[in-house]
Amino acid sequence: MVRPRTPLLSRERIVEVATAIVDAEGLDALSTRRLARELGVQAPSLYNHFATKEEIVDAIGDAIVAGVDLSMLGRDPWPAALRGWARAYRAAFRAHPNVVPFLARGPARRPASLRLADAVYGALVSAGWPPAQATRIGAAMRYFVAGSALGSFALGFVADPSLYGADYPHLRDAHRLADRHSEVDEAAFELGLDALIDGLERRFAALHP
Amino acid sequence: MVRPRTPLLSRERIVEVATAIVDAEGLDALSTRRLARELGVQAPSLYNHFATKEEIVDAIGDAIVAGVDLSMLGRDPWPAALRGWARAYRAAFRAHPNVVPFLARGPARRPASLRLADAVYGALVSAGWPPAQATRIGAAMRYFVAGSALGSFALGFVADPSLYGADYPHLRDAHRLADRHSEVDEAAFELGLDALIDGLERRFAALHP
DNA sequence: ACCTGAACACCGTTCAAGT
DNA sequence: ACCTGAACACCGTTCAAGT
């Protein structure tokens, strides 16, 4: 088949099927041939819509970031806005854990990430933070939230008691973390978020006495 | 050449050369054939020392984590200890920026990471934090530090003024960030670290009135 | 135990050819 | 404009054969 009168592919459909593959089997399972097969097409056809495979992965990540709710940033007081945004961002990536390695692919040249940075920075400046501080806060929040999306802390510990006792005395009970990893990660995220915003509020208060 | 009387390879030498390749040209440049060539050997020889290429990458990351100074954790008061450890961890990964994607490869089953977790947790518990809180603090710190190592925030913005003004009103001056990315990232890291530890100190004070 | 050559089943990408 | 088949230059890994 060549040049059908209505195109077989579109960027949207490619990203959709690619996301499904990555969600189901991980980033490594995404190859151009595999993706093409599931799209009912040959691999080189993809290059009519994306210049490289990397662009496809970027588009997957961008679509996820684009789904992050930003409405609180133009509405709530800045501490609540930061909190709500951080939770939304983390939730978006927890829904696609296999895409997280993409977060490490260097920073954001992608439109959704820029929109997000714009909204966070704008909210902080509107709230009364000096621009230089707003930049730093946006970056610091990104560090924390991206790091928390990066992967489970608790899941790093294997559910095997014999592994730790001997070599790592303080980790004697760490094997229990694996079972409760969701709660542990959730509680750690909330504690860190609270502490971080708490510290920022103190600085804000010192700035506006 | 077969089976030389003294082995051509060792895990140490493989990791050393692999790290050099990744540092110089990035993770994608590391292939078993390329690595073998630089080691003066054929690719299958590597499989006498590592079961998979992934194990080699793990070993690169583990060696970097193993280089992180942990001495302050058994010595300084916990806020200073956390601060010092966070800086050391970040510095270690900034020295090998191309290895950072490895951070996203799921959590730590690697010895150096376990030793690190053990030291951080132990220091917090010794200082008087309840164990459950110590776990959360260790996780929250890992989120922040790993996120900050993940990549420059400032470098995400291209040094081209025309890119932002129109679509992202608040980012009008963001193109200036790229030039000063080191200072911006450094200042953001220090601000976040201060705020985070500040917030934790307040919780600690409430716990030990 | 440790290295080799040959082989297997893949990759991402290019490109001329088709309509 | 958009899809194809053929091809290029790669991959990671296995395995029997060598000493």
Side-chain angles (χ1 to χ4, degrees):
Chain A
M1 172 209 342
V2 289
R3 174 71 173 125
R5 61 169 54 79
T6 127
L8 296 174
L9 295 178
S10 67
R11 287 177 65 97
E12 290 68 32
R13 211 164 83 77
I14 292 171
V15 170
E16 190 184 323
V17 173
T19 303
I21 293 174
V22 171
D23 282 346
E25 302 180 41
L27 260 186
D28 286 346
L30 186 72
S31 74
T32 54
R33 284 175 172 84
R34 163 77 185 276
L35 176 54
R37 177 158 37 87
E38 303 215 357
L39 285 161
V41 114
Q42 300 298 318
S45 304
L46 298 169
Y47 292 83
N48 287 299
H49 304 269
F50 290 93
T52 62
K53 181 189 163 185
E54 209 186 334
E55 270 191 15
I56 299 178
V57 177
D58 273 1
I60 296 175
D62 199 60
I64 294 171
V65 175
V68 176
D69 180 22
L70 300 176
S71 60
M72 72 294 282
L73 290 169
R75 190 186 58 219
D76 297 349
W78 71 264
L82 278 189
R83 210 181 300 267
W85 162 74
R87 286 182 180 137
Y89 189 96
R90 177 167 179 269
F93 274 96
R94 300 216 82 186
H96 302 277
N98 293 335
V99 184
V100 165
F102 139 93
L103 283 174
R105 290 168 161 271
R109 225 146 302 217
R110 290 161 288 271
S113 299
L114 289 171
R115 202 157 46 78
L116 190 151
D118 186 67
V120 171
Y121 177 82
L124 290 168
V125 170
S126 303
W129 280 100
Q133 288 286 84
T135 300
R136 290 182 196 127
I137 294 171
M141 290 297 297
R142 202 194 70 128
Y143 297 159
F144 181 70
V145 173
S148 83
L150 246 197
S152 168
F153 173 83
L155 264 183
F157 300 94
V158 189
D160 174 0
S162 72
L163 226 98
Y164 301 114
D167 296 327
Y168 312 102
H170 301 300
L171 302 183
R172 206 182 315 110
D173 297 328
H175 62 94
R176 293 204 206 125
L177 290 175
D179 285 339
R180 311 180 291 117
H181 66 93
S182 285
E183 302 105 87
V184 173
D185 281 311
E186 181 82 19
F189 175 76
E190 290 293 332
L191 171 64
L193 188 58
D194 275 357
L196 193 47
I197 290 179
D198 206 37
L200 293 175
E201 281 187 289
R202 283 164 62 84
R203 275 156 188 76
F204 191 76
L207 220 62
H208 297 89
Chain B
M1 175 206 341
V2 287
R3 174 71 173 125
R5 60 172 51 82
T6 128
L8 297 174
L9 296 178
S10 67
R11 287 177 66 97
E12 291 67 31
R13 211 164 82 77
I14 292 171
V15 171
E16 190 184 322
V17 173
T19 304
I21 293 174
V22 171
D23 281 348
E25 302 180 40
L27 260 185
D28 286 346
L30 185 73
S31 75
T32 55
R33 283 174 171 84
R34 162 79 185 276
L35 176 56
R37 178 158 36 87
E38 303 215 356
L39 285 161
V41 114
Q42 299 299 318
S45 304
L46 297 169
Y47 291 84
N48 288 299
H49 303 270
F50 290 94
T52 62
K53 179 189 165 185
E54 209 187 334
E55 270 191 15
I56 299 177
V57 177
D58 274 1
I60 297 175
D62 199 60
I64 294 172
V65 175
V68 176
D69 180 23
L70 301 177
S71 61
M72 72 293 282
L73 290 169
R75 191 185 56 220
D76 297 349
W78 70 264
L82 279 188
R83 211 182 299 267
W85 162 75
R87 286 181 180 139
Y89 189 96
R90 178 167 178 269
F93 275 96
R94 302 216 81 188
H96 302 274
N98 293 335
V99 184
V100 164
F102 140 93
L103 283 173
R105 291 169 161 268
R109 225 146 302 218
R110 289 161 290 271
S113 298
L114 288 171
R115 203 156 45 77
L116 190 151
D118 185 68
V120 172
Y121 177 81
L124 290 167
V125 171
S126 302
W129 280 100
Q133 289 286 82
T135 300
R136 290 182 197 126
I137 293 171
M141 290 297 298
R142 203 195 71 127
Y143 297 159
F144 181 71
V145 173
S148 83
L150 248 194
S152 168
F153 173 83
L155 264 183
F157 300 94
V158 189
D160 173 0
S162 72
L163 226 97
Y164 300 114
D167 295 328
Y168 311 102
H170 301 300
L171 302 184
R172 206 182 315 110
D173 298 327
H175 63 93
R176 294 204 205 125
L177 290 175
D179 286 339
R180 310 180 293 117
H181 65 93
S182 284
E183 301 106 87
V184 173
D185 280 309
E186 181 81 19
F189 175 76
E190 290 293 331
L191 171 64
L193 188 60
D194 274 357
L196 193 46
I197 291 180
D198 206 37
L200 293 175
E201 281 188 288
R202 283 163 63 83
R203 275 156 189 74
F204 190 77
L207 220 62
H208 297 89

